[in-house]
Amino acid sequence: MPPSGPRDRHFPVPIPSPGDTQHPTLPRRPFVGRRRELDLLRGHLGSGGLVIVTGDPGIGKTRLAEEFSAHAEEHGAVIRWGRCWEGDGAPAFWPWIQILRDEARSAPASGLAAIEQALAELEGRAHEVGHPAALDPGPSRFRLFDALTNVLVRAAHDQPRVLVLEDLHWADLPSLRLLQFLVRHARSAPLLALVTYRDVEIDKAHPLGHALRDLARHGEPISLTGLDAEDVECYVAAALGDSRARALAARLHRETEGHPFFLVELVRLLEGSSAAALAGIPDGIRELIARRLRQRTLACHDLLEIAAVVGRDFTLPVLRRVSALADRDVLTLVGEALDARLIVGADGETYRFSHALVREALYADLPLARRLTLHRAIGEAI
């Protein structure tokens, strides 16, 4: 039977989040594509509401939020950022504490007292509640949520606000409850909540799944996928020059399927080099893929290694024969990989790696002895 717990095999240290593809010491990369998504966000500016941006790690959620925030600032809005914390130790309400601290730093004297009072109560309650314990659902919680919502609504009526809450898959439940309250009670204010999270990490068993699904019913969804071939060519032209773009864009789109993080890393590899530099997988891509694989069970990873040796496309019968697992277990593990969007269904019992680079990274990390053993077993199975 496949183990149900997280895999314990050692992999490279995951790349640090916040999920943006930018490196702080490097020049900012050109922004291409996402025209429909930006138009949708711009349509909400000044009228409030909730927009929910989802997608895989590295797909460009943070960059889209930054690009829209720059536009919103140019049109007179105030931007407040609240980022959820991946590790242990953060208090409850952490993204909201960040937002209110920013409000307090720039508030006029006439409104500072109300903000400071709300912030003090929030910070006190955050440590009192603990993480991730739920708040008392009675009048005390309602008064707290109402006070915080009033502070933000008053500020928005003075000057429109955009609240960007990032990485809600790491949020505490009290923070989501407060967001649910605000979305319902601030509809008439020019207060836009723009939230991002990795939907690939929110399955049915996730403790925040119900709250996030409830928010999705009250907000405008934006699900980010890969850039199209034209956008990839625009990016390559801006980064490497028009002459190289024509020769490389089609290959880069094929290799990355428009995934922005993969594209950025490969273009960075090509700067000052020839197309031959694409023979390897950049460390950033390997680390991102390793991070996603480490979130799967050990049995799922082992089955994906078999699939990687088969090729970009593989079939269930071959996986069954080589893994020697029962049909039910193979289907369970394939379902796990499908939910994580590491693979996609192709036709019937045929499946395909969602990105060629996922397959290449798995194959490259195989020890030679296991690689040869799998090649032999797959040859016999076929």
Side-chain angles (χ1 to χ4, degrees), residues 45 69 72-81 102-103 106 155-156 158-164 190-192:
L45 188 59
S69 295
E73 281 188 318
E74 290 175 359
H75 288 76
V78 174
I79 316 300
R80 301 296 185 212
W81 290 78
D102 279 350
E103 286 290 345
S106 59
D158 290 337
Q159 190 173 359
R161 256 46 175 186
V162 176
L163 309 181
V164 184
L191 179 64
L192 174 63

PDB file of all heavy atoms in Angstrom, residues 45 69 72-81 102-103 106 155-156 158-164 190-192:
ATOM      1  N   LEU A  45     -11.395  49.053  -9.781  1.00  0.00           N
ATOM      2  CA  LEU A  45     -10.758  50.146  -9.059  1.00  0.00           C
ATOM      3  C   LEU A  45     -11.768  51.249  -8.758  1.00  0.00           C
ATOM      4  O   LEU A  45     -12.463  51.738  -9.641  1.00  0.00           O
ATOM      5  CB  LEU A  45      -9.599  50.708  -9.891  1.00  0.00           C
ATOM      6  CG  LEU A  45      -8.707  51.738  -9.199  1.00  0.00           C
ATOM      7  CD1 LEU A  45      -8.076  51.151  -7.943  1.00  0.00           C
ATOM      8  CD2 LEU A  45      -7.614  52.210 -10.157  1.00  0.00           C
ATOM      9  N   SER A  69      -1.181  47.286  -8.840  1.00  0.00           N
ATOM     10  CA  SER A  69      -1.005  48.246  -7.754  1.00  0.00           C
ATOM     11  C   SER A  69      -0.354  49.522  -8.250  1.00  0.00           C
ATOM     12  O   SER A  69      -0.730  50.628  -7.834  1.00  0.00           O
ATOM     13  CB  SER A  69      -0.168  47.623  -6.631  1.00  0.00           C
ATOM     14  OG  SER A  69      -0.851  46.539  -6.041  1.00  0.00           O
ATOM     15  N   ALA A  72      -3.020  51.412  -9.970  1.00  0.00           N
ATOM     16  CA  ALA A  72      -3.978  51.961  -9.008  1.00  0.00           C
ATOM     17  C   ALA A  72      -3.409  53.189  -8.305  1.00  0.00           C
ATOM     18  O   ALA A  72      -4.119  54.176  -8.075  1.00  0.00           O
ATOM     19  CB  ALA A  72      -4.357  50.886  -7.992  1.00  0.00           C
ATOM     20  N   GLU A  73      -2.128  53.139  -7.950  1.00  0.00           N
ATOM     21  CA  GLU A  73      -1.493  54.298  -7.304  1.00  0.00           C
ATOM     22  C   GLU A  73      -1.487  55.497  -8.233  1.00  0.00           C
ATOM     23  O   GLU A  73      -1.722  56.630  -7.801  1.00  0.00           O
ATOM     24  CB  GLU A  73      -0.075  53.941  -6.878  1.00  0.00           C
ATOM     25  CG  GLU A  73      -0.010  53.147  -5.594  1.00  0.00           C
ATOM     26  CD  GLU A  73       1.407  52.972  -5.100  1.00  0.00           C
ATOM     27  OE1 GLU A  73       2.297  52.706  -5.936  1.00  0.00           O
ATOM     28  OE2 GLU A  73       1.632  53.104  -3.882  1.00  0.00           O
ATOM     29  N   GLU A  74      -1.215  55.255  -9.512  1.00  0.00           N
ATOM     30  CA  GLU A  74      -1.207  56.348 -10.482  1.00  0.00           C
ATOM     31  C   GLU A  74      -2.583  57.005 -10.597  1.00  0.00           C
ATOM     32  O   GLU A  74      -2.686  58.171 -10.959  1.00  0.00           O
ATOM     33  CB  GLU A  74      -0.768  55.827 -11.851  1.00  0.00           C
ATOM     34  CG  GLU A  74       0.703  55.446 -11.915  1.00  0.00           C
ATOM     35  CD  GLU A  74       1.059  54.812 -13.254  1.00  0.00           C
ATOM     36  OE1 GLU A  74       0.133  54.671 -14.103  1.00  0.00           O
ATOM     37  OE2 GLU A  74       2.228  54.442 -13.455  1.00  0.00           O
ATOM     38  N   HIS A  75      -3.622  56.250 -10.272  1.00  0.00           N
ATOM     39  CA  HIS A  75      -4.993  56.765 -10.369  1.00  0.00           C
ATOM     40  C   HIS A  75      -5.564  57.118  -8.999  1.00  0.00           C
ATOM     41  O   HIS A  75      -6.786  57.161  -8.808  1.00  0.00           O
ATOM     42  CB  HIS A  75      -5.888  55.757 -11.084  1.00  0.00           C
ATOM     43  CG  HIS A  75      -5.605  55.653 -12.555  1.00  0.00           C
ATOM     44  ND1 HIS A  75      -4.503  54.987 -13.062  1.00  0.00           N
ATOM     45  CD2 HIS A  75      -6.267  56.161 -13.647  1.00  0.00           C
ATOM     46  CE1 HIS A  75      -4.506  55.077 -14.382  1.00  0.00           C
ATOM     47  NE2 HIS A  75      -5.561  55.784 -14.759  1.00  0.00           N
ATOM     48  N   GLY A  76      -4.683  57.374  -8.039  1.00  0.00           N
ATOM     49  CA  GLY A  76      -5.107  57.958  -6.777  1.00  0.00           C
ATOM     50  C   GLY A  76      -5.460  57.003  -5.655  1.00  0.00           C
ATOM     51  O   GLY A  76      -5.895  57.446  -4.589  1.00  0.00           O
ATOM     52  N   ALA A  77      -5.278  55.705  -5.843  1.00  0.00           N
ATOM     53  CA  ALA A  77      -5.608  54.750  -4.789  1.00  0.00           C
ATOM     54  C   ALA A  77      -4.415  54.553  -3.847  1.00  0.00           C
ATOM     55  O   ALA A  77      -3.264  54.760  -4.228  1.00  0.00           O
ATOM     56  CB  ALA A  77      -6.022  53.409  -5.380  1.00  0.00           C
ATOM     57  N   VAL A  78      -4.717  54.169  -2.623  1.00  0.00           N
ATOM     58  CA  VAL A  78      -3.700  53.803  -1.639  1.00  0.00           C
ATOM     59  C   VAL A  78      -3.632  52.279  -1.586  1.00  0.00           C
ATOM     60  O   VAL A  78      -4.659  51.611  -1.509  1.00  0.00           O
ATOM     61  CB  VAL A  78      -4.047  54.363  -0.245  1.00  0.00           C
ATOM     62  CG1 VAL A  78      -3.071  53.853   0.807  1.00  0.00           C
ATOM     63  CG2 VAL A  78      -4.053  55.890  -0.280  1.00  0.00           C
ATOM     64  N   ILE A  79      -2.412  51.732  -1.622  1.00  0.00           N
ATOM     65  CA  ILE A  79      -2.220  50.289  -1.636  1.00  0.00           C
ATOM     66  C   ILE A  79      -1.708  49.836  -0.274  1.00  0.00           C
ATOM     67  O   ILE A  79      -0.773  50.419   0.273  1.00  0.00           O
ATOM     68  CB  ILE A  79      -1.203  49.855  -2.717  1.00  0.00           C
ATOM     69  CG1 ILE A  79      -1.463  50.585  -4.032  1.00  0.00           C
ATOM     70  CG2 ILE A  79      -1.242  48.345  -2.904  1.00  0.00           C
ATOM     71  CD1 ILE A  79      -2.827  50.338  -4.627  1.00  0.00           C
ATOM     72  N   ARG A  80      -2.325  48.827   0.276  1.00  0.00           N
ATOM     73  CA  ARG A  80      -1.873  48.229   1.530  1.00  0.00           C
ATOM     74  C   ARG A  80      -1.615  46.743   1.297  1.00  0.00           C
ATOM     75  O   ARG A  80      -2.461  46.038   0.757  1.00  0.00           O
ATOM     76  CB  ARG A  80      -2.926  48.394   2.630  1.00  0.00           C
ATOM     77  CG  ARG A  80      -3.303  49.822   2.944  1.00  0.00           C
ATOM     78  CD  ARG A  80      -2.135  50.596   3.495  1.00  0.00           C
ATOM     79  NE  ARG A  80      -2.509  51.948   3.903  1.00  0.00           N
ATOM     80  CZ  ARG A  80      -1.693  52.989   3.833  1.00  0.00           C
ATOM     81  NH1 ARG A  80      -0.461  52.826   3.354  1.00  0.00           N
ATOM     82  NH2 ARG A  80      -2.084  54.184   4.229  1.00  0.00           N
ATOM     83  N   TRP A  81      -0.438  46.281   1.731  1.00  0.00           N
ATOM     84  CA  TRP A  81      -0.056  44.886   1.528  1.00  0.00           C
ATOM     85  C   TRP A  81      -0.079  44.131   2.853  1.00  0.00           C
ATOM     86  O   TRP A  81       0.410  44.625   3.873  1.00  0.00           O
ATOM     87  CB  TRP A  81       1.351  44.792   0.941  1.00  0.00           C
ATOM     88  CG  TRP A  81       1.450  45.251  -0.481  1.00  0.00           C
ATOM     89  CD1 TRP A  81       1.493  46.540  -0.923  1.00  0.00           C
ATOM     90  CD2 TRP A  81       1.518  44.425  -1.644  1.00  0.00           C
ATOM     91  NE1 TRP A  81       1.579  46.564  -2.301  1.00  0.00           N
ATOM     92  CE2 TRP A  81       1.603  45.286  -2.763  1.00  0.00           C
ATOM     93  CE3 TRP A  81       1.525  43.044  -1.851  1.00  0.00           C
ATOM     94  CZ2 TRP A  81       1.692  44.800  -4.072  1.00  0.00           C
ATOM     95  CZ3 TRP A  81       1.618  42.569  -3.148  1.00  0.00           C
ATOM     96  CH2 TRP A  81       1.691  43.441  -4.250  1.00  0.00           C
ATOM     97  N   ASP A 102       0.434  49.945   8.524  1.00  0.00           N
ATOM     98  CA  ASP A 102       0.649  50.902   7.439  1.00  0.00           C
ATOM     99  C   ASP A 102      -0.350  52.049   7.508  1.00  0.00           C
ATOM    100  O   ASP A 102      -0.005  53.215   7.258  1.00  0.00           O
ATOM    101  CB  ASP A 102       0.530  50.195   6.085  1.00  0.00           C
ATOM    102  CG  ASP A 102       1.807  49.466   5.702  1.00  0.00           C
ATOM    103  OD1 ASP A 102       2.831  49.669   6.377  1.00  0.00           O
ATOM    104  OD2 ASP A 102       1.782  48.683   4.734  1.00  0.00           O
ATOM    105  N   GLU A 103      -1.597  51.725   7.825  1.00  0.00           N
ATOM    106  CA  GLU A 103      -2.604  52.776   7.960  1.00  0.00           C
ATOM    107  C   GLU A 103      -2.223  53.745   9.078  1.00  0.00           C
ATOM    108  O   GLU A 103      -2.344  54.964   8.929  1.00  0.00           O
ATOM    109  CB  GLU A 103      -3.975  52.163   8.258  1.00  0.00           C
ATOM    110  CG  GLU A 103      -4.645  51.488   7.075  1.00  0.00           C
ATOM    111  CD  GLU A 103      -5.110  52.473   6.018  1.00  0.00           C
ATOM    112  OE1 GLU A 103      -5.170  53.686   6.305  1.00  0.00           O
ATOM    113  OE2 GLU A 103      -5.399  52.037   4.886  1.00  0.00           O
ATOM    114  N   SER A 106       0.509  56.420   8.222  1.00  0.00           N
ATOM    115  CA  SER A 106       0.191  57.516   7.294  1.00  0.00           C
ATOM    116  C   SER A 106      -1.137  58.203   7.601  1.00  0.00           C
ATOM    117  O   SER A 106      -1.570  59.065   6.832  1.00  0.00           O
ATOM    118  CB  SER A 106       0.164  56.982   5.860  1.00  0.00           C
ATOM    119  OG  SER A 106      -0.803  55.958   5.724  1.00  0.00           O
ATOM    120  N   ALA A 155     -11.300  55.055   5.885  1.00  0.00           N
ATOM    121  CA  ALA A 155     -10.089  55.426   5.145  1.00  0.00           C
ATOM    122  C   ALA A 155     -10.336  55.376   3.639  1.00  0.00           C
ATOM    123  O   ALA A 155      -9.874  56.244   2.884  1.00  0.00           O
ATOM    124  CB  ALA A 155      -8.949  54.490   5.530  1.00  0.00           C
ATOM    125  N   ALA A 156     -11.095  54.371   3.181  1.00  0.00           N
ATOM    126  CA  ALA A 156     -11.363  54.239   1.748  1.00  0.00           C
ATOM    127  C   ALA A 156     -12.253  55.356   1.228  1.00  0.00           C
ATOM    128  O   ALA A 156     -12.116  55.782   0.078  1.00  0.00           O
ATOM    129  CB  ALA A 156     -12.004  52.883   1.470  1.00  0.00           C
ATOM    130  N   ASP A 158     -12.137  58.375   2.296  1.00  0.00           N
ATOM    131  CA  ASP A 158     -11.234  59.520   2.150  1.00  0.00           C
ATOM    132  C   ASP A 158     -10.397  59.397   0.883  1.00  0.00           C
ATOM    133  O   ASP A 158     -10.160  60.383   0.181  1.00  0.00           O
ATOM    134  CB  ASP A 158     -10.308  59.630   3.369  1.00  0.00           C
ATOM    135  CG  ASP A 158     -11.062  60.062   4.622  1.00  0.00           C
ATOM    136  OD1 ASP A 158     -12.140  60.673   4.480  1.00  0.00           O
ATOM    137  OD2 ASP A 158     -10.576  59.770   5.732  1.00  0.00           O
ATOM    138  N   GLN A 159      -9.925  58.165   0.609  1.00  0.00           N
ATOM    139  CA  GLN A 159      -9.125  57.900  -0.586  1.00  0.00           C
ATOM    140  C   GLN A 159      -9.238  56.403  -0.882  1.00  0.00           C
ATOM    141  O   GLN A 159      -9.014  55.582   0.018  1.00  0.00           O
ATOM    142  CB  GLN A 159      -7.654  58.280  -0.351  1.00  0.00           C
ATOM    143  CG  GLN A 159      -6.802  58.252  -1.608  1.00  0.00           C
ATOM    144  CD  GLN A 159      -5.403  58.800  -1.366  1.00  0.00           C
ATOM    145  OE1 GLN A 159      -5.064  59.223  -0.256  1.00  0.00           O
ATOM    146  NE2 GLN A 159      -4.574  58.813  -2.395  1.00  0.00           N
ATOM    147  N   PRO A 160      -9.617  56.021  -2.114  1.00  0.00           N
ATOM    148  CA  PRO A 160      -9.832  54.599  -2.411  1.00  0.00           C
ATOM    149  C   PRO A 160      -8.649  53.727  -1.978  1.00  0.00           C
ATOM    150  O   PRO A 160      -7.488  54.125  -2.094  1.00  0.00           O
ATOM    151  CB  PRO A 160     -10.016  54.583  -3.935  1.00  0.00           C
ATOM    152  CG  PRO A 160     -10.541  55.942  -4.250  1.00  0.00           C
ATOM    153  CD  PRO A 160      -9.870  56.877  -3.283  1.00  0.00           C
ATOM    154  N   ARG A 161      -8.971  52.526  -1.488  1.00  0.00           N
ATOM    155  CA  ARG A 161      -7.969  51.591  -0.993  1.00  0.00           C
ATOM    156  C   ARG A 161      -7.973  50.308  -1.820  1.00  0.00           C
ATOM    157  O   ARG A 161      -9.029  49.839  -2.257  1.00  0.00           O
ATOM    158  CB  ARG A 161      -8.267  51.208   0.448  1.00  0.00           C
ATOM    159  CG  ARG A 161      -7.455  51.799   1.576  1.00  0.00           C
ATOM    160  CD  ARG A 161      -7.225  53.215   1.513  1.00  0.00           C
ATOM    161  NE  ARG A 161      -6.524  53.739   2.695  1.00  0.00           N
ATOM    162  CZ  ARG A 161      -6.324  55.012   2.894  1.00  0.00           C
ATOM    163  NH1 ARG A 161      -6.772  55.911   2.010  1.00  0.00           N
ATOM    164  NH2 ARG A 161      -5.658  55.449   3.957  1.00  0.00           N
ATOM    165  N   VAL A 162      -6.776  49.740  -1.988  1.00  0.00           N
ATOM    166  CA  VAL A 162      -6.606  48.381  -2.497  1.00  0.00           C
ATOM    167  C   VAL A 162      -5.853  47.604  -1.432  1.00  0.00           C
ATOM    168  O   VAL A 162      -4.727  47.980  -1.063  1.00  0.00           O
ATOM    169  CB  VAL A 162      -5.834  48.346  -3.829  1.00  0.00           C
ATOM    170  CG1 VAL A 162      -5.593  46.894  -4.263  1.00  0.00           C
ATOM    171  CG2 VAL A 162      -6.592  49.100  -4.911  1.00  0.00           C
ATOM    172  N   LEU A 163      -6.474  46.559  -0.899  1.00  0.00           N
ATOM    173  CA  LEU A 163      -5.829  45.698   0.086  1.00  0.00           C
ATOM    174  C   LEU A 163      -5.353  44.444  -0.632  1.00  0.00           C
ATOM    175  O   LEU A 163      -6.150  43.663  -1.150  1.00  0.00           O
ATOM    176  CB  LEU A 163      -6.816  45.311   1.188  1.00  0.00           C
ATOM    177  CG  LEU A 163      -7.601  46.438   1.862  1.00  0.00           C
ATOM    178  CD1 LEU A 163      -8.505  45.855   2.947  1.00  0.00           C
ATOM    179  CD2 LEU A 163      -6.656  47.486   2.445  1.00  0.00           C
ATOM    180  N   VAL A 164      -4.047  44.244  -0.677  1.00  0.00           N
ATOM    181  CA  VAL A 164      -3.467  43.062  -1.319  1.00  0.00           C
ATOM    182  C   VAL A 164      -3.073  42.077  -0.226  1.00  0.00           C
ATOM    183  O   VAL A 164      -2.187  42.358   0.582  1.00  0.00           O
ATOM    184  CB  VAL A 164      -2.243  43.422  -2.181  1.00  0.00           C
ATOM    185  CG1 VAL A 164      -1.738  42.175  -2.904  1.00  0.00           C
ATOM    186  CG2 VAL A 164      -2.574  44.526  -3.180  1.00  0.00           C
ATOM    187  N   PRO A 190     -15.276  52.209  -1.660  1.00  0.00           N
ATOM    188  CA  PRO A 190     -14.251  52.022  -2.701  1.00  0.00           C
ATOM    189  C   PRO A 190     -13.036  51.287  -2.118  1.00  0.00           C
ATOM    190  O   PRO A 190     -11.925  51.805  -2.061  1.00  0.00           O
ATOM    191  CB  PRO A 190     -13.914  53.459  -3.117  1.00  0.00           C
ATOM    192  CG  PRO A 190     -14.185  54.275  -1.901  1.00  0.00           C
ATOM    193  CD  PRO A 190     -15.330  53.612  -1.190  1.00  0.00           C
ATOM    194  N   LEU A 191     -13.286  50.066  -1.672  1.00  0.00           N
ATOM    195  CA  LEU A 191     -12.295  49.266  -0.952  1.00  0.00           C
ATOM    196  C   LEU A 191     -12.191  47.918  -1.650  1.00  0.00           C
ATOM    197  O   LEU A 191     -13.061  47.056  -1.511  1.00  0.00           O
ATOM    198  CB  LEU A 191     -12.729  49.086   0.503  1.00  0.00           C
ATOM    199  CG  LEU A 191     -11.827  48.260   1.425  1.00  0.00           C
ATOM    200  CD1 LEU A 191     -10.478  48.936   1.608  1.00  0.00           C
ATOM    201  CD2 LEU A 191     -12.519  48.077   2.783  1.00  0.00           C
ATOM    202  N   LEU A 192     -11.135  47.724  -2.421  1.00  0.00           N
ATOM    203  CA  LEU A 192     -10.934  46.497  -3.193  1.00  0.00           C
ATOM    204  C   LEU A 192      -9.969  45.573  -2.467  1.00  0.00           C
ATOM    205  O   LEU A 192      -8.859  45.974  -2.126  1.00  0.00           O
ATOM    206  CB  LEU A 192     -10.385  46.827  -4.580  1.00  0.00           C
ATOM    207  CG  LEU A 192      -9.990  45.628  -5.462  1.00  0.00           C
ATOM    208  CD1 LEU A 192     -11.215  44.769  -5.765  1.00  0.00           C
ATOM    209  CD2 LEU A 192      -9.331  46.101  -6.752  1.00  0.00           C
TER     210      LEU A 192
END
